[in-house]
Amino acid sequence: MSRRQFDRQHVVDTALAILDDGGPDALSVRAVATALDVRPNAIYTYVEDRAALDGAVAERVLAMADLSLLTGPPSQWRRRVERFALSVREVLLLHPGVVSLLMSAPLNGPVALSIGEGLLDAFADAGLSPRDGARASYAVMVHTLGSLALDVAETDGRAPLDPEEDRVAARAAAFAQAAASAMPRTAAAAPIMATWVGETQFRWGLARLLDGIVRP
Amino acid sequence: MSRRQFDRQHVVDTALAILDDGGPDALSVRAVATALDVRPNAIYTYVEDRAALDGAVAERVLAMADLSLLTGPPSQWRRRVERFALSVREVLLLHPGVVSLLMSAPLNGPVALSIGEGLLDAFADAGLSPRDGARASYAVMVHTLGSLALDVAETDGRAPLDPEEDRVAARAAAFAQAAASAMPRTAAAAPIMATWVGETQFRWGLARLLDGIVRP
DNA sequence: ACCTGAACACCGTTCAAGT
DNA sequence: ACCTGAACACCGTTCAAGT
């Protein structure tokens, strides 16, 4: 015996499982230790501190997005960007608790860097200058992660999330309840505002952004 | 005596001061109590729980944005949206610790509702249908808050933030250090990527989004 | 109505010690 | 190298009690 039963990867996986199961509040160094049947301080053998654990979990999930979607024929640059952004969205909605981790630390890991390179490549294929390509890449990241953050903020962060249909319906009900007599446009647009957390809104915003980016 | 020395407003102001001073980690119910020279549980007289305190702080700061910038001549709808978005950005960069609070709870307070109504109004003036106006309004919020979240994620969340110039310079230095031989586009675009956290990038992304929204 | 005292069930982290 | 025991300085929250 005395052979260790797990490694850093296992620690991170355990943390992700706890996050999925109980949401952001449930994740703690001590919870990971308990799940691995070890004392809390043993975790520090594998991870420098809590922030490093959070970062590793975020990196792990971000790596689940299909980066290969960003490569392809230059003429298809737009489809490549859109499909990749949807892949990021899909993966993060499967692990909603990760979104807050992703937004609360610098996005400078190897996976984030690779994503940046892939986006720069796609926008170069679109004929953009390096400067505009860099601005466009970040704008796409902002849209993607910003949308996810606002969407997930309305949930408890546990996986699996309620189906989009249910989340939209809950929003619609909330709007209906709030008699917005002083806000006529809100009252009129409430049914659409209920769908703000959905994939259609995500696609629409991204499409408008890309329209504006390549507009002559 | 026995006259209370403070009210809910004072509690929220104190929380904001602690947040500005020490960043997100410094804010706690107990820290607020200490600052008000009272036992921790006394705070619960004014605030239901920690989440309500966070929400009140977020609402307070969001209310500092100049909503009147959204009103004006219909022909100036675009300028109205841009100036308001910049106002939100300015206020939140003065209180960077608030950004994470804003992104981690539903945006359904009265201030957020009023902002939504103002945006719907501006996009109606732009000639958009109610449906597109609602989609456009959310896209603008996503850009604004998403940008802020990613920007602030690279700081310690304490006010005042380092000047933009310094934050950009720090990013540039970090990029220079990372020899990105395997990522040619990143290496080439590093000087622009360093400015991702700046106002120019914010304006550029918003402009492209609005271009795409009103494009014929 | 508003506050205190006391307690409970948690946190992250450090350090010395054991194997 | 990896883990434990013990401790420290924190959390949010509840409840009974006092004024």
Side-chain angles (χ1 to χ4, degrees):
Chain A
M1 63 187 57
S2 90
R3 261 310 198 52
R4 54 175 157 60
Q5 310 276 23
F6 52 89
D7 54 7
R8 185 177 210 267
Q9 171 123 326
H10 199 329
V11 170
V12 176
D13 286 342
T14 303
L16 178 55
I18 291 169
L19 192 58
D20 285 341
D21 228 59
D25 290 350
L27 179 57
S28 69
V29 173
R30 298 180 100 107
V32 173
T34 299
L36 292 170
D37 197 32
V38 100
R39 290 327 114 201
N41 44 3
I43 300 301
Y44 292 89
T45 300
Y46 303 95
V47 122
E48 198 187 355
D49 56 14
R50 170 61 197 267
L53 178 63
D54 287 351
V57 171
E59 186 89 353
R60 162 89 92 258
V61 171
L62 202 55
M64 295 176 187
D66 188 355
L67 198 55
S68 77
L69 294 173
L70 272 176
T71 62
S75 67
Q76 302 242 51
W77 71 268
R78 181 169 177 137
R79 176 188 168 82
R80 284 151 55 195
V81 170
E82 288 175 335
R83 290 189 63 193
F84 175 72
L86 281 165
S87 169
V88 170
R89 183 177 131 95
E90 191 175 1
V91 158
L92 282 170
L93 288 184
L94 286 175
H95 303 283
V98 174
V99 174
S100 54
L101 303 183
L102 223 38
M103 307 291 287
S104 59
L107 267 176
N108 52 13
V111 177
L113 270 176
S114 296
I115 290 173
E117 181 79 6
L119 285 170
L120 291 172
D121 206 55
F123 283 117
D125 287 346
L128 263 57
S129 69
R131 183 186 158 284
D132 282 356
R135 298 233 175 274
S137 296
Y138 193 64
V140 167
M141 293 190 225
V142 163
H143 172 78
T144 302
L145 296 179
S147 291
L148 282 162
L150 292 185
D151 288 3
V152 169
E154 307 214 354
T155 76
D156 60 8
R158 308 225 289 265
L161 242 35
D162 289 337
E164 178 181 312
E165 191 185 348
D166 296 5
R167 288 182 284 120
V168 168
R171 278 177 62 84
F175 275 124
Q177 201 167 13
S181 56
M183 315 222 292
R185 311 210 103 105
T186 302
I192 296 129
M193 291 167 71
T195 71
W196 277 354
V197 295
E199 183 178 326
T200 301
Q201 170 73 38
F202 182 86
R203 285 177 179 274
W204 189 94
L206 180 56
R208 295 295 76 73
L209 179 61
L210 295 176
D211 284 349
I213 286 169
V214 298
R215 200 192 58 150
Chain B
M1 64 190 51
S2 90
R3 262 309 198 54
R4 56 174 155 59
Q5 311 274 22
F6 53 89
D7 55 6
R8 186 178 210 266
Q9 171 123 327
H10 200 331
V11 169
V12 176
D13 286 341
T14 303
L16 178 56
I18 292 169
L19 193 59
D20 284 342
D21 228 58
D25 289 349
L27 179 56
S28 69
V29 172
R30 298 180 99 107
V32 173
T34 299
L36 293 171
D37 197 33
V38 102
R39 290 327 114 200
N41 43 4
I43 299 302
Y44 292 88
T45 300
Y46 302 95
V47 123
E48 199 187 355
D49 57 14
R50 170 61 197 268
L53 178 63
D54 287 351
V57 171
E59 186 89 353
R60 162 88 93 256
V61 172
L62 202 55
M64 294 176 188
D66 188 354
L67 198 56
S68 77
L69 293 173
L70 272 178
T71 63
S75 67
Q76 302 241 54
W77 70 268
R78 180 168 177 137
R79 177 189 168 82
R80 285 151 55 195
V81 170
E82 288 175 334
R83 291 188 64 193
F84 176 71
L86 281 165
S87 169
V88 170
R89 183 177 132 96
E90 192 175 3
V91 159
L92 283 171
L93 289 184
L94 286 175
H95 303 284
V98 175
V99 174
S100 54
L101 303 184
L102 223 37
M103 306 292 287
S104 59
L107 268 176
N108 52 13
V111 177
L113 270 176
S114 295
I115 290 173
E117 181 78 5
L119 285 170
L120 291 173
D121 205 56
F123 283 116
D125 287 345
L128 263 59
S129 69
R131 182 184 158 283
D132 282 356
R135 299 232 174 275
S137 296
Y138 193 65
V140 167
M141 294 190 226
V142 163
H143 173 78
T144 303
L145 296 178
S147 292
L148 282 162
L150 292 185
D151 288 4
V152 170
E154 307 214 354
T155 77
D156 61 8
R158 308 224 289 265
L161 242 34
D162 289 338
E164 177 181 312
E165 191 185 348
D166 296 6
R167 287 181 285 120
V168 168
R171 279 177 61 86
F175 276 124
Q177 202 167 13
S181 57
M183 317 222 289
R185 311 210 103 105
T186 301
I192 296 130
M193 290 167 71
T195 73
W196 277 355
V197 295
E199 183 178 325
T200 301
Q201 170 73 40
F202 181 85
R203 284 178 180 275
W204 189 94
L206 180 56
R208 295 295 77 72
L209 179 60
L210 295 176
D211 284 348
I213 286 170
V214 298
R215 200 191 58 153

